Amino acid sequence: MESSASSPAAAPLVKRQFHVLVGVTGSVAALKLPLLVSRLLDIPGMWKCRSDPVLHIDLRRWADLMLVAPLDANTLGKVASGICDNLLTCVIRAWDCRKPLLFCPAMNTVMWEHPITAQQVGQLKAFGYVEIPCVAKKLVCGDQGLGAMAEVGTIVGKVEEILFRHGGSQQS
């Protein structure tokens, strides 16, 4: 997430304008994407309000939101290893580590329990990225255990927490 101070021409209700990039790398995340985006855009307190003279309506939003969806199930390993072979991995490799980057791992339970996965998650955390841990439940593949993507409410809550933590800072 990247934030920038509001422009002088913006309405007085403007506090900050955030730029949020949502990366989707798997089918389960893609299925949850409409709800996630809807809930992210409903986060209160960081509104940008301006009138549209042509449409005669108020446009309210707190963030520009962009989606990158390579649907590449091996993204965790690629990012941990520095591999840049799609738009999302290239963006992450060029990420300003002073700005928050959250990741929500999700995979089959056997994959989650593999020692390589722990190393990869540890590497991302060492970069300063924030993990929103997977949860235990019955997975689409039939496995029961850890590996399911965190609930949308949990993800949105963590995004909201980080936005408000960074909202007081005037750095871009």
Side-chain angles (χ1 to χ4, degrees):
M1 286 175 278
E2 180 181 328
S3 63
S4 60
S6 61
S7 70
L13 292 178
V14 175
K15 286 187 180 181
R16 300 202 49 141
Q17 178 70 24
F18 288 91
H19 305 283
V20 177
L21 174 69
V22 176
V24 178
T25 62
S27 59
V28 173
L31 291 172
K32 292 184 176 186
L33 183 62
L35 179 59
L36 176 62
V37 169
S38 174
R39 296 273 311 272
L40 285 171
L41 293 174
D42 283 342
I43 293 174
M46 299 302 265
W47 292 98
K48 176 179 182 179
C49 181
R50 65 178 172 86
S51 293
D52 184 311
V54 176
L55 299 175
H56 305 290
I57 59 172
D58 283 338
L59 302 175
R60 299 177 186 271
R61 63 183 184 158
W62 59 269
D64 288 326
L65 193 138
M66 179 177 278
L67 171 68
V68 177
L71 296 180
D72 182 341
N74 192 31
T75 302
L76 181 75
K78 289 180 177 185
V79 172
S81 302
I83 297 171
C84 304
D85 65 350
N86 63 49
L87 179 59
L88 183 60
T89 56
C90 289
V91 168
I92 292 171
R93 179 69 183 269
W95 197 260
D96 180 348
C97 288
R98 295 171 295 182
K99 296 180 180 175
L101 186 145
L102 288 69
F103 68 101
C104 310
M107 62 196 71
N108 170 278
T109 302
V110 176
M111 291 173 69
W112 179 254
E113 293 172 346
H114 196 284
I116 289 175
T117 304
Q119 290 175 352
Q120 293 169 340
V121 168
Q123 183 61 57
L124 269 57
K125 289 174 158 183
F127 294 154
Y129 303 162
V130 177
E131 179 189 11
I132 301 175
C134 63
V135 296
K137 67 182 199 181
K138 186 170 184 172
L139 305 176
V140 174
C141 66
D143 286 357
Q144 178 73 37
L146 280 173
M149 189 173 95
E151 296 299 323
V152 168
T154 302
I155 296 167
V156 171
K158 189 65 173 179
V159 169
E160 188 172 21
E161 172 191 325
I162 288 177
L163 285 174
F164 287 118
R165 186 179 326 145
H166 289 272
S169 167
Q170 291 302 316
Q171 294 179 347
S172 293

